[in-house]
C-alpha cells in the first residue's frame, strides 16, 4: 500500500508558495543561508594577478600534439571510473610512496568536501590556523560542523602552544594545514606541524597546493603517521582550468573516502589531458622555475619600497602590508591602472592593511610595481 505523501505536507508550504522565501527558510539549512557565496571577480581586460594562476601557455607544437590525443577520445563511453592510468602517472610525478593510496578529485576543493562529508556529525569540530584558505571554513559549514580558527602569530607562523591546546580542548575531526599557507605564502615550521599531527585525535590534512614553488613536502612522512593525508593540485602549477586534485594517504582512510566519491568524477577530457600534460612535465618545471625567480626578484623590489612591509613567500604569490587604512584605496588605484590583485584587508585580523599579488610574467610584474609605486605617492 503506497503512502500518500501529499497527506503529510503541512498547509503552510502548499505548492503555491513553495518557491517563496518562507519555503527557502524552512528547507535551506540556516548555516548555509548564513554563508557568503565564494566570490570570483571578473578580470575583464585587466592584468590578472589575483588568483595564483600560472600566466604561461603552451608552445604551439604541444597544443597540436594535445589536440591529436583528443581526436581519439571515445566521448560516447563513460571514462575509467578509477582513472587508473592517470593515477599511476600522478603517483610517479608526485613520488607518492607505493604503500599509500590516492584519490582524485574535481580540483582539490572536491577532495576537501569529500573528507568533511565523510567525518561530518553534529558537534564535531574542524580546526585550522587563521588566516588560511577560506574553503576550509566554507565547506565545514556546508557539512554541518563547527569551525575553529586558531590565530597565527604576527609573522604568520604557527602558535604551537595555542594549536596544541585547541586540539586538546576541541578534539577536532580534521585539522587543515596549508603548506605553504594561503594567503600568507610562508611555510610553517615542520617540527610544529609534526607535533600537531601527533597531538591530533583525528585527521591532519597537509594541503600542498603550492608545492611546485616550495619544494617542501610531507609526502615523505605519510608512512610515519596513520592520521596524515596530503593534498596536491595541478591548478597552481599551470592547469587550473582542468580541475584536478589528488589526496594521498593510508589505504584504510582512503578506502572509506572513496565510497562517497561520485562515480566518474574525473571526466574523460581531464583524464586524457592531464596524462598528456604530465608527460611533458619539463615544460611546467621550466615555467614554475621562472615564476620562482620572478617571485624572488619581486620580493626584493617590494622590500625596497617605503611604507610597504613584505612577508616571505614560498608560493607563487606575495602578501604585503601597506600604510594603515590605505589598503582599499591602494588596491583600487592599482586596478585603475589595469592591474587586478587581491585586497585581503576586508578579511580583517592579521590581514588588516594587506594586499596579495600573484606572480605573473615579467612585464605584468613590472606593470604591477609601477602601479603600486604610483598608488603610494
Ligand atoms: C588554490 C588552493 C586550493 C584549490 O585548488 P583546486 O585544486 O583548484 O581546487 C586548495 N588549497 C589551497 C591552499 C589553495 O590555495
Amino acid at each position: 500500500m503506497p503512502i500518500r505523501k501529499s497527506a503529510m505536507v503541512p498547509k503552510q508550504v502548499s505548492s503555491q508558495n513553495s518557491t517563496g522565501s518562507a519555503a527557502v527558510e524552512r528547507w535551506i539549512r540556516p548555516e548555509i543561508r548564513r554563508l557568503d557565496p565564494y566570490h570570483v571577480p571578473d578580470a575583464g581586460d585587466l592584468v590578472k594577478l589575483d588568483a595564483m594562476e600560472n600566466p604561461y601557455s603552451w608552445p604551439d607544437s604541444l597544443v597540436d600534439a594535445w589536440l591529436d590525443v583528443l581526436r581519439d577520445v571515445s566521448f560516447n563511453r563513460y571514462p575509467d571510473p578509477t582513472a587508473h592510468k592517470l593515477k599511476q602517472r600522478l603517483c610517479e610525478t608526485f613520488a607518492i610512496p607505493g604503500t599509500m593510496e590516492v584519490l582524485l578529485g574535481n580540483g582539490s576543493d572536491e577532495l576537501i568536501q569529500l573528507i568533511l562529508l565523510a567525518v561530518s556529525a553534529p558537534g564535531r569540530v574542524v580546526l585550522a590556523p587563521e588566516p588560511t584558505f577560506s574553503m576550509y571554513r566554507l565547506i565545514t559549514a556546508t557539512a554541518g560542523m563547527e569551525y575553529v580558527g586558531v590565530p597565527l602569530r604576527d609573522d604568520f607562523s604557527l602558535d604551537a602552544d595555542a594549536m596544541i591546546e585547541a586540539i586538546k580542548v576541541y578534539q577536532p575531526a580534521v585539522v587543515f594545514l596549508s603548506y605553504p599557507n594561503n594567503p600568507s605564502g610562508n611555510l610553517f615550521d615542520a617540527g610544529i606541524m609534526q607535533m600537531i599531527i601527533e597531538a591530533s585525535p583525528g585527521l591532519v590534512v597537509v594541503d600542498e597546493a603550492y608545492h611546485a614553488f616550495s619544494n617542501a613536502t610531507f609526502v615523505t612522512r605519510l608512512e610515519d603517521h596513520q592520521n596524515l593525508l596530503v593534498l596536491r593540485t595541478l591548478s597552481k602549477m599551470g592547469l587550473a582550468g582542468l580541475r584536478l586534485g589528488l589526496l594521498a594517504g593510508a589505504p584504510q582512510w582512503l578506502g572509506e573516502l572513496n565510497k562517497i566519491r561520485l562515480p566518474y568524477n574525473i571526466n574523460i577530457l581531464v583524464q586524457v589531458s592531464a596524462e598528456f600534460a604530465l608527460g611533458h612535465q619539463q615544460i611546467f618545471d621550466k615555467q614554475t622555475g621562472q615564476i620562482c625567480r620572478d617571485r624572488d626578484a619581486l620580493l626584493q623590489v617590494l622590500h625596497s619600497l617605503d611604507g610597504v612591509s613584505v612577508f616571505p613567500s614560498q608560493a607563487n604569490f606575495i602578501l604585503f602590508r601597506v600604510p594603515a587604512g590605505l589598503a582599499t584605496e591602494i588596491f583600487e588605484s592599482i586596478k585603475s591602472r589595469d592591474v587586478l590583485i587581491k585586497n585581503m584587508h576586508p578579511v580583517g585580523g592579521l590581514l588588516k592593511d594587506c594586499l596579495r599579488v600573484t606572480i605573473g610574467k615579467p612585464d605584468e610584474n613590472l606593470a604591477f610595481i609601477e602601479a603600486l609605486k604610483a598608488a603610494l605617492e
Side-chain angles (χ1 to χ4, degrees):
M1 182 80 173
I3 299 169
R4 285 176 54 230
K5 286 217 176 94
S6 58
M8 299 161 61
V9 176
K11 285 230 162 47
Q12 70 269 25
V13 280
S14 70
S15 59
Q16 268 152 0
N17 69 3
S18 66
T19 54
S21 60
V24 171
E25 275 182 31
R26 178 171 179 219
W27 293 111
I28 301 292
R29 286 185 276 134
E31 63 269 28
I32 292 179
R33 280 189 274 125
R34 276 196 300 272
L35 289 176
D36 293 319
Y38 190 79
H39 173 67
V40 180
D42 179 12
D45 292 331
L46 302 178
V47 174
K48 196 170 183 316
L49 302 179
D50 67 328
M52 286 80 134
E53 292 146 331
N54 174 339
Y56 298 103
S57 50
W58 294 358
D60 287 344
S61 58
L62 197 65
V63 173
D64 287 339
W66 170 57
L67 292 175
D68 281 341
V69 172
L70 290 186
R71 240 183 287 281
D72 294 330
V73 171
S74 305
F75 290 106
N76 55 320
R77 304 288 178 200
Y78 281 105
D80 173 3
T82 60
H84 175 72
K85 277 170 71 186
L86 174 57
K87 255 181 165 173
Q88 230 171 5
R89 171 72 81 169
L90 283 162
C91 286
E92 285 162 25
T93 305
F94 292 152
I96 308 295
T99 51
M100 292 294 129
E101 188 53 73
V102 300
L103 206 60
L104 304 188
N106 180 9
S108 47
D109 287 347
E110 190 189 42
L111 293 165
I112 296 167
Q113 186 182 52
L114 210 76
I115 295 164
L116 294 181
L117 285 178
V119 303
S120 170
R124 288 194 178 173
V125 164
V126 173
L127 188 142
E130 192 92 339
T132 191
F133 186 43
S134 60
M135 292 305 288
Y136 307 147
R137 179 189 288 274
L138 190 86
I139 299 174
T140 297
T142 65
M145 288 184 288
E146 303 293 324
Y147 185 88
V148 172
V150 180
L152 291 166
R153 295 173 185 275
D154 285 350
D155 62 355
F156 295 100
S157 63
L158 283 171
D159 185 335
D161 293 342
M163 285 295 286
I164 299 296
E165 180 62 22
I167 287 167
K168 260 198 213 134
V169 171
Y170 294 103
Q171 297 285 302
V174 183
V175 175
F176 283 102
L177 295 169
S178 171
Y179 186 72
N181 188 41
N182 174 8
S184 50
N186 58 314
L187 283 169
F188 294 138
D189 182 281
I192 299 178
M193 287 172 66
Q194 174 121 359
M195 280 169 51
I196 289 170
I197 295 166
E198 284 164 8
S200 291
L203 285 167
V204 176
V205 179
V206 175
D207 182 347
E208 300 185 343
Y210 300 96
H211 171 258
F213 313 97
S214 77
N215 288 319
T217 186
F218 270 66
V219 159
T220 48
R221 305 184 193 221
L222 278 169
E223 288 175 325
D224 302 335
H225 307 284
Q226 278 290 313
N227 62 333
L228 170 64
L229 301 179
V230 175
L231 258 184
R232 291 278 184 89
T233 174
L234 299 191
S235 294
K236 311 296 156 67
M237 65 174 250
L239 296 167
L242 215 52
R243 310 299 301 130
L244 185 66
L246 172 144
L247 182 69
Q252 299 92 306
W253 285 105
L254 269 68
E256 298 298 326
L257 297 180
N258 190 44
K259 294 178 189 170
I260 58 168
R261 179 180 66 87
L262 295 180
Y264 313 118
N265 67 327
I266 310 301
N267 73 59
I268 188 84
L269 283 179
V270 172
Q271 291 194 29
V272 167
S273 304
E275 227 190 293
F276 172 82
L278 292 171
H280 298 84
Q281 179 66 27
Q282 69 282 4
I283 292 187
F284 297 101
D285 291 345
K286 203 172 141 217
Q287 293 177 346
T288 51
Q290 177 72 43
I291 291 166
C292 287
R293 284 192 296 278
D294 292 339
R295 169 195 67 204
D296 295 343
L298 191 56
L299 277 169
Q300 289 214 336
V301 177
L302 286 169
H303 268 301
S304 73
L305 296 183
D306 277 342
V308 172
S309 52
V310 195
F311 298 98
S313 171
Q314 299 292 316
N316 64 339
F317 59 87
I318 296 172
L319 186 77
F320 60 100
R321 191 171 280 137
V322 295
L326 296 181
T328 298
E329 195 179 310
I330 290 173
F331 166 78
E332 291 296 343
S333 166
I334 292 172
K335 195 169 159 188
S336 75
R337 290 175 170 84
D338 297 333
V339 180
L340 182 65
I341 63 170
K342 176 94 174 174
N343 183 7
M344 304 306 301
H345 175 72
V347 179
L350 277 182
L351 295 173
K352 216 162 151 285
D353 304 315
C354 285
L355 301 172
R356 187 188 67 195
V357 61
T358 300
I359 312 302
K361 294 178 179 173
D363 62 319
E364 296 175 324
N365 302 335
L366 196 62
F368 157 70
I369 282 294
E370 293 305 319
L372 173 62
K373 280 182 181 165
L376 287 166
E377 267 169 13

